[in-house]
């Protein structure tokens, strides 16, 4: 059974961190409605969706992906690169402790979960403005005993590694070649985003199904043509906060 931890949109979402896109007015009520649709989409794909209450004082707290890495054996709560986001961690750690032993990244290490792409027993971690060498080294040490390798990957021009590359199936990645070198993933088949849709590489994979933003029809068509089953959800207001679809949930296997 798939479980997805999510958190309701903060009323302060408009005060979010922004790194690579200009600030635009965000309709928080619409963001809230879109987040509900996102949760319904996850349910339709077979997830049991847990919803943490909104954190009114933490603008980016809807983006729960960044505060934890959840593996089959263990969860790691991160120390987010943006100081404004560090108070998001504690409540997610409480929720995770019901499902996994929980370990933590400590200062001066930083990691954003959006930088962590697990492919089999290797965790690729974006060497971004949010995830530093100390955080990556700590993650490597924490996971060595569980049989996971941790490998840093340079990124450029994007917020997180998973802005640039996500997994479509065990052998295939969806990738934005302007933001990460394709050669870093030489063992994988790669489908590139449509050049007109630079932000389209971020998709949620639940088993055989994919969930992606509605705003990338060309890339979606590439995936459909390649035989994937693709569901879309309108996340325009969350995209204005530099979020997309993976960032709004922590998906893992739990319970029977
Ligand atoms: C931030 O800059 O931290 C938020 N405004 C957006 C975080 C999106 N997270 C993600 O894609 N994993």
């Amino acid at each position: 059974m798939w479980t997805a931890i999510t958190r309701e949109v903060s009323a302060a979402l408009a005060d979010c961190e922004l790194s690579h896109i200009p600030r635009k007015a965000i309709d928080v009520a619409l963001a809230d409605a879109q987040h509900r649709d996102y949760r319904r989409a996850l349910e339709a794909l077979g997830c049991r969706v847990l919803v943490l209450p909104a954190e009114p004082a933490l603008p980016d707290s809807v983006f729960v992906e960044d505060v934890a890495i959840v593996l089959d054996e263990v969860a790691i709560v991160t120390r987010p690169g943006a100081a404004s986001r560090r108070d998001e961690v504690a409540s997610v750690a409480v929720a995770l402790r019901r499902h996994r032993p929980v370990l933590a990244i400590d200062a001066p290490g930083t990691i954003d979960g959006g930088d962590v792409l697990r492919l089999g027993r290797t965790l690729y971690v974006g060497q971004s403005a949010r995830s530093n060498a100390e955080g990556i080294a700590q993650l490597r040490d924490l996971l060595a005993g569980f049989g996971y390798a941790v490998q840093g990957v340079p990124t450029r021009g994007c917020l997180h590694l998973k802005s640039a590359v996500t997994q479509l199936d065990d052998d295939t990645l969806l990738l934005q070649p302007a933001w990460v070198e394709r050669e870093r993933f030489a063992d994988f088949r790669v489908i590139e985003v449509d050049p007109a849709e630079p932000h389209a590489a971020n998709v949620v994979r639940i088993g055989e199904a994919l969930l992606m933003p509605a705003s990338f029809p060309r890339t979606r068509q590439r995936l459909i043509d390649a035989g994937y089953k693709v569901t879309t959800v309108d996340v325009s207001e969350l995209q204005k906060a530099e979020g997309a679809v993976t960032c709004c949930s922590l998906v893992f296997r739990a319970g029977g």
Side-chain angles (χ1 to χ4, degrees):
M1 174 89 180
W2 295 101
T3 294
I5 293 180
T6 66
R7 171 149 46 209
E8 288 183 327
V9 174
S10 171
L13 177 65
D15 298 325
C16 63
E17 298 281 340
L18 287 179
S19 305
H20 298 278
I21 59 172
R23 199 167 289 276
K24 288 191 197 149
I26 295 180
D27 180 338
V28 177
L30 180 54
D32 209 36
Q34 291 177 344
H35 192 257
R36 247 190 328 269
D37 290 345
Y38 172 84
R39 295 187 322 246
R40 281 199 200 106
L42 289 178
E43 278 169 359
L45 296 178
C47 288
R48 181 173 67 117
V49 178
L50 308 178
V51 188
L52 302 179
E55 293 275 8
L58 298 173
D60 282 308
S61 51
V62 65
F63 302 124
V64 289
E65 171 183 62
D66 291 319
V67 301
I69 301 149
V70 188
L71 304 170
D72 286 345
E73 305 84 352
V74 66
I76 316 286
V77 288
T78 68
R79 182 168 177 270
S84 68
R85 301 203 53 192
R86 294 193 185 138
D87 287 345
E88 297 175 24
V89 175
S91 52
V92 171
V94 169
L96 282 171
R97 271 191 205 103
R98 296 194 195 107
H99 305 279
R100 299 282 191 278
V102 175
L103 305 175
I105 301 293
D106 295 321
T110 63
I111 296 262
D112 274 14
D115 271 320
V116 182
L117 175 65
R118 184 187 66 78
L119 299 175
R121 303 299 289 186
T122 301
L123 273 64
Y124 294 84
V125 186
Q127 294 162 323
S128 71
R130 296 290 178 85
S131 300
N132 66 16
E134 167 68 21
I136 295 172
Q138 285 185 28
L139 188 64
R140 183 175 296 121
D141 287 350
L142 289 172
L143 292 178
F146 293 94
Y148 288 96
V150 171
Q151 193 168 312
V153 182
T155 59
R156 51 177 184 265
C158 61
L159 182 57
H160 291 128
L161 179 63
K162 277 188 281 190
S163 315
V165 56
T166 54
Q167 192 175 28
L168 299 173
D169 62 34
D170 288 352
D171 306 313
T172 314
L173 306 177
L174 178 63
L175 183 136
Q176 158 54 291
W179 294 347
V180 71
E181 288 173 7
R182 191 251 173 276
E183 293 68 32
R184 298 274 164 182
F185 303 99
D187 293 343
F188 290 83
R189 183 170 80 110
V190 163
I191 297 177
E192 292 189 3
V193 298
D194 187 283
E197 297 173 345
H199 292 270
N202 184 262
V203 302
V204 175
R205 175 189 176 201
I206 312 278
E208 304 282 290
L210 303 175
L211 175 65
M212 70 182 292
S215 53
F216 304 125
R218 292 162 180 254
T219 301
R220 174 174 181 253
Q221 193 56 52
R222 286 187 181 201
L223 299 182
I224 290 170
D225 291 347
Y228 293 99
K229 183 171 159 249
V230 186
T231 302
T232 60
V233 61
D234 185 354
V235 287
S236 64
E237 302 311 291
L238 299 162
Q239 287 170 312
K240 291 180 191 169
E242 218 169 343
V245 285
T246 66
C247 57
C248 293
S249 56
L250 286 162
V251 179
F252 54 92
R253 285 199 182 274

